[in-house]
Amino acid sequence: MANGVLILAELMDGKIAAVTQELVGAAQRLGAGPVSAMLLGSGVEGAASGVTGVEKTYVVDDAALAEYTTDGFTNAAAAVVALADPAIILLGQTNAGRDLGPALSFKLGTAVAMDTTSLEMKDGKLHTTRPAYGGNARAVNGFTSTPAIATVRPKSQDAAEGGSAGVVEKVAFDASGIRTKVVARNVAASEGVRLEDADTVVTGGRGLGGPEGFADIEALAKELGGAVGASRAVADLGWRPVGEQVGLTGKVVSPTLYIAVAVSGASQHMAGCSGSKNIVAINKDPDANIFKASRFGIVGDYKTVLPAFLAAVKKVRAEG
Amino acid sequence: MHIVVLVKQVPDWDIPPSSFKVDEAAKKVVPPQGVAPVTSQFDAIAAEAAMRIKDADATTKVTIMSMGAATARDVIKQGLAMGADEGVLLTDAAFDDLDSYGAATVLSTAVKKLGDVDLVLTGRQAVDWDSGVTPTLIAGMLGAPVITFGKRVAVAGGTVTVERVLPDSLETVEASLPAVVSVSNELGEPRYPKLPQIMAAGKKQVTTWAAGDLGLDAGTLGQKLTLEALYVPVVDTKVEIMAGDTPEEQAMALAKRLQDAKLI
């Protein structure tokens, strides 16, 4: 009889990623039985103790999992599921999760709800809520098959704190079924604060008119110790690297302060920043959608407002 | 080399959020008046990916396939105008409101019926449900490998090579054909057909298949994921617009408010 919740633990720079404890927190709050974790990769066993608040952590540690491949991770996860027999499986909506969720659902003959932002049990069954139609709507889904699988948007859930590490159980899997091969990887060089971790994000939109408009954005981000973000239009136009894109198909950020400059606030952009604690908008169009989600705003041209704002920030900070 | 591009017709996503409406009882989006449905953005990019492969090797055959209402013929025609060779429209009342699994069942069955397909290209996700599940399910049903989020797709010697877009890296992945590849917006804009191509598209063949043609019926397309509710979220933030006669005054007002709120 399927029971409990199994979450996918992930590593970031060799340590358990923040999203993992968020998944543990979400799983605990469901109250749907024991919570266990699975950690898949090569040379990952030592990190398993970093997952806390779970009864058990299943580890598939195999050289064939050194690089993420759809088949490798799907087969490894399926081997864990066969042992753990969970009623619910939660993954982060991460690089791995957004690819693995659908593949695992097919392998297990069940369904997956992607990019969910809230989860609850109703009459003993999982119900998930997720943004749809570019963030314009919310869809609530139920499942007719077990296990129910959901990917969960990073930073949408409060992380589990405390608790002890689970008992580690090693699981073997058959690595012969991997049909894709990673032949190259180019890691984008990033400077300064990581966008997803930044407490302040300053984002520029198409309204800046060109890549040169980002000089002021960079200066403001530097002054505030924050990171630079870009709208999808800006990334698609090649003004800024893809890694800076905030939105449905880019990064999801939830800083304390999100300053959106010349960003119209299309729903797909808001999907990436609506978790921010305070949104500030600078836009010359008073009807821009971004103002609807903002706490503070300036209606004006960034060309004059931004240099003035940078000077004002320096002044008030100098005066304490 | 035969490529099938899967395209979906969706309500125009590029409308102001204020004109987006949902019929909560029917759990359906109410299409805005006078705005024609369009090709899901990433699917048009998948068609572009196919055309780039055809540019490099003119012997490549490209079929545009869409499941949907009879009006989905319009999005097939758009792909044909971009330079695709043939179209297949899958339309039947039994195909309405399917979940990803049901949709993948119909599409994969139709791809199998075509018989000689080497590569299936799709968008990374449809811009209505934003799930990105169907490409992987289709690959599973076809018994083929899947590579998701491609920004460059090339084929040579029975192998597909895909540059995958990840937030902090670009990875290059290979698989043997037949395979399924989903593409992302970083691939580039879809080409804009010229009038003679649009005229020529009108003469290209579009085959229509219903459930019976695929040996399917409503009973075999059961839902694994149910839609319990669909609604428009309420946003109750009230913005405070900074007063001031000059940019300097507005900027100083904002800096002070942020300092008072301990945000800077």
Side-chain angles (χ1 to χ4, degrees):
Chain A
M1 176 69 187
N3 183 36
V5 186
L6 175 67
I7 66 119
L8 176 73
E10 288 193 56
L11 297 179
M12 173 72 69
D13 303 329
K15 293 199 180 106
I16 296 296
V19 68
T20 300
Q21 289 304 122
E22 294 166 17
L23 294 176
V24 173
Q28 288 173 345
R29 287 186 292 275
L30 283 175
V35 177
S36 54
M38 59 177 160
L39 182 59
L40 320 172
S42 176
V44 296
E45 191 185 348
S49 59
V51 187
T52 60
V54 296
E55 294 203 354
K56 205 177 241 189
T57 296
Y58 297 91
V59 177
V60 186
D61 197 331
D62 193 305
L65 301 176
E67 289 277 9
Y68 175 87
T69 59
T70 310
D71 290 330
F73 273 60
T74 302
N75 293 342
V80 172
V81 171
L83 276 177
D85 194 21
I88 295 168
I89 302 172
L90 302 182
L91 302 81
Q93 176 80 358
T94 57
N95 286 349
R98 55 166 52 128
D99 187 82
L100 179 59
L104 188 59
S105 84
F106 181 78
K107 180 94 180 171
L108 301 176
T110 178
V112 61
M114 301 297 291
D115 200 17
T116 62
T117 52
S118 86
L119 306 104
E120 63 170 337
M121 299 301 286
K122 241 181 191 170
D123 303 325
K125 298 241 182 192
L126 180 67
H127 280 224
T128 59
T129 303
R130 58 184 302 276
Y133 288 87
N136 281 318
R138 297 288 178 275
V140 181
N141 292 113
F143 298 80
T144 62
S145 52
T146 304
I149 307 176
T151 67
V152 179
R153 181 176 289 191
K155 302 191 178 172
S156 67
Q157 310 292 316
D158 291 329
E161 288 179 24
S164 47
V167 178
V168 171
E169 181 169 340
K170 291 197 76 171
V171 180
F173 94 110
D174 178 4
S176 65
I178 300 176
R179 295 168 293 177
T180 61
K181 190 176 171 203
V182 179
V183 293
R185 176 181 304 283
N186 297 307
V187 178
S190 63
E191 292 171 15
V193 195
R194 260 167 50 94
L195 183 53
E196 304 94 306
D197 299 336
D199 209 34
T200 299
V201 173
V202 187
T203 290
R206 182 160 41 184
L208 292 177
E212 58 283 355
F214 273 86
D216 289 340
I217 301 282
E218 283 180 344
L220 182 58
K222 193 175 174 209
E223 169 65 24
L224 296 173
V228 172
S231 71
R232 186 169 124 195
V234 162
D236 280 355
L237 287 163
W239 297 354
R240 300 298 293 186
V242 169
E244 290 181 3
Q245 183 187 319
V246 172
L248 187 68
T249 57
K251 287 180 177 165
V252 175
V253 300
S254 55
T256 307
L257 179 60
Y258 187 84
I259 303 177
V261 184
V263 172
S264 67
S267 296
Q268 71 86 18
H269 181 77
M270 301 316 296
C273 69
S274 58
S276 306
K277 316 297 182 286
N278 299 280
I279 297 178
V280 172
I282 298 172
N283 202 298
K284 63 181 174 189
D285 175 8
D287 297 323
N289 193 54
I290 188 76
F291 285 118
K292 294 197 176 77
S294 298
R295 184 173 171 197
F296 302 117
I298 289 180
V299 178
D301 187 343
Y302 86 90
K303 282 181 188 155
T304 51
V305 172
L306 216 45
F309 181 55
L310 181 58
V313 166
K314 285 182 175 166
K315 187 157 186 281
V316 300
R317 290 178 115 199
E319 290 166 2
Chain B
M1 179 78 190
H2 184 187
I3 300 174
V4 174
V5 183
L6 304 178
V7 297
K8 185 175 185 180
Q9 189 180 44
V10 296
D12 194 344
W13 70 87
D14 199 13
I15 56 166
S18 55
S19 39
F20 181 84
K21 301 258 176 341
V22 164
D23 179 343
E24 291 191 13
K27 295 183 278 194
K28 282 190 177 176
V29 169
V30 182
Q33 288 266 315
V35 182
V38 296
T39 305
S40 180
Q41 191 171 16
F42 303 109
D43 296 349
I45 295 166
E48 173 62 26
M51 296 322 301
R52 289 183 190 175
I53 293 169
K54 192 175 167 79
D55 289 344
D57 177 3
T59 66
T60 304
K61 176 181 167 185
V62 177
T63 299
I64 305 287
M65 179 182 285
S66 185
M67 181 186 78
T71 56
R73 186 176 289 269
D74 295 343
V75 300
I76 294 173
K77 289 285 181 193
Q78 190 193 341
L80 295 174
M82 286 172 71
D85 300 285
E86 288 176 12
V88 178
L89 173 64
L90 310 172
T91 189
D92 194 302
F95 301 162
D96 293 347
D97 303 324
L98 293 175
D99 68 354
S100 299
Y101 199 91
T105 304
V106 174
L107 291 162
S108 64
T109 305
V111 169
K112 282 180 199 160
K113 188 175 163 88
L114 286 174
D116 59 345
V117 177
D118 301 293
L119 179 63
V120 176
L121 290 173
T122 75
R124 60 177 287 165
Q125 64 203 51
V127 296
D128 48 4
W129 292 111
D130 290 324
S131 282
V133 172
T134 307
T136 301
L137 297 184
I138 290 169
M141 291 167 187
L142 294 174
V146 64
I147 303 174
T148 52
F149 316 131
K151 75 161 277 188
R152 223 175 72 81
V153 184
V155 288
T159 299
V160 62
T161 304
V162 180
E163 282 180 12
R164 288 187 81 215
V165 182
L166 300 174
D168 294 306
S169 63
L170 195 63
E171 85 183 6
T172 308
V173 182
E174 283 180 1
S176 294
L177 297 175
V180 177
V181 175
S182 78
V183 305
S184 192
N185 44 293
E186 291 83 0
L187 188 127
E189 290 287 310
R191 63 195 61 193
Y192 200 77
K194 297 191 176 70
L195 189 61
Q197 295 169 302
I198 295 170
M199 302 289 284
K203 298 191 187 79
K204 291 177 182 173
Q205 190 189 345
V206 178
T207 307
T208 302
W209 287 335
D213 298 314
L214 301 174
L216 299 169
D217 60 63
T220 55
L221 298 168
Q223 302 263 304
K224 286 177 185 285
L225 195 68
T226 59
L227 182 62
E228 303 293 325
L230 187 69
Y231 61 93
V232 176
V234 179
V235 181
D236 55 3
T237 325
K238 283 203 175 55
V239 63
E240 184 188 335
I241 299 291
M242 297 301 124
D245 293 331
T246 65
E248 285 71 25
E249 285 176 28
Q250 292 173 310
M252 182 52 75
L254 178 59
K256 283 185 173 153
R257 299 296 275 130
L258 294 179
Q259 191 183 39
D260 290 346
K262 296 187 167 50
L263 293 171
I264 61 170

